[in-house]
Amino acid sequence: FNAVALVTSWLSDRERDALLRYQGLFDRVPVGLYRSSRNWVILEANPAMAQMLGYADRGSLLGRNMADLYENPVERERHILRFGAAGQVVDFETRYRRRDGSVIRVRNRCRAERSAGGGILHFHGSLEDITERVAAEEEIRAVRTRLENVIEFLPDATCVVDAGRRVIAWNRAMEDMTGVAKEKVLGWGEGEYAVP
């Protein structure tokens, strides 16, 4: 805060207002925002990031290394290798460890700020907690697998056609009755499946 006060004392009223508006926006955005050094030391973080990661305030995050947040620090190295051209946004999903040790899934969108010579100066990024979304997607996949297994092992020849009139399920009994393999008929639409 002292550094901000010092910097703002050198600025014009217009520049000071713009800086304060920017800081207010940064602080109130509902996703985690950060800026880190090229060595991944957190230089800035907003309150949403601190809350997401279980820290009392953003000051508790400053000076920490982003590598310490990864459940598996080796993943961070893989993501660093993905940075190519200046301005490129690298978007990836990973697991972060919260302050209490619990693990959350996050979507990290990150951009490297580069010097005129092309070297990385800083990273700017946003973090979104996607733990609930990932759990819901996994549950949907599990339910779909169970449903496909039920249909597959029904003794009666059974096919399922979706609202777009495309075949989305074709069980073994249907293959035996028609002589048409499931792999061939899945995705057929507009009555193509009626020929067998």
Side-chain angles (χ1 to χ4, degrees):
F1 292 113
N2 291 338
V4 170
L6 182 61
V7 169
T8 55
S9 70
W10 298 334
L11 301 175
S12 69
D13 289 343
R14 186 173 164 196
E15 291 169 325
R16 191 176 304 113
D17 289 344
L19 179 63
L20 292 173
R21 275 196 310 276
Y22 166 78
Q23 188 64 46
L25 177 64
F26 184 81
D27 289 348
R28 288 190 292 274
V29 130
V31 297
L33 298 178
Y34 67 89
R35 183 170 70 93
S36 69
S37 70
R38 67 183 186 158
N39 298 326
W40 291 89
V41 173
I42 300 171
L43 303 172
E44 291 182 62
N46 70 348
M49 183 168 166
Q51 181 181 12
M52 180 189 321
L53 297 173
Y55 288 85
D57 55 39
R58 68 172 164 202
S60 305
L61 277 172
L62 302 184
R64 294 189 177 276
N65 195 300
M66 294 286 285
D68 298 337
L69 300 176
Y70 281 80
E71 180 188 38
N72 179 1
V74 174
E75 262 191 67
R76 179 184 73 98
E77 300 304 323
R78 275 200 310 261
H79 298 311
I80 289 173
L81 294 174
R82 296 175 58 197
F83 283 95
Q88 174 189 9
V89 174
V90 175
D91 190 340
F92 57 92
E93 294 181 7
T94 190
R95 296 174 190 268
Y96 273 17
R97 191 168 302 283
R98 299 182 77 225
R99 186 170 189 216
D100 64 6
S102 62
V103 174
I104 60 171
R105 295 290 300 260
V106 297
R107 181 174 188 180
N108 192 337
R109 291 181 190 97
C110 187
R111 183 179 66 81
E113 182 181 327
R114 296 181 181 273
S115 67
I120 294 175
L121 297 172
H122 298 97
F123 294 100
H124 298 269
S126 66
L127 291 181
E128 180 184 358
D129 184 347
I130 59 169
T131 307
E132 289 181 13
R133 188 200 81 199
V134 169
E137 289 171 352
E138 288 171 355
E139 178 62 24
I140 288 169
R141 278 193 294 276
V143 167
R144 182 179 178 133
T145 298
R146 286 193 299 270
L147 180 59
E148 287 172 352
N149 287 338
V150 167
I151 290 170
E152 183 65 25
F153 295 105
L154 285 173
D156 297 324
T158 305
C159 72
V160 179
V161 178
D162 69 8
R165 297 176 58 193
R166 288 180 307 276
V167 176
I168 60 170
W170 189 269
N171 73 356
R172 287 183 191 176
M174 193 68 152
E175 285 181 320
D176 293 343
M177 184 179 86
T178 64
V180 177
K182 174 183 6 185
E183 292 76 25
K184 182 177 180 185
V185 76
L186 288 179
W188 281 5
E190 297 302 319
E192 290 174 288
Y193 50 84
V195 175

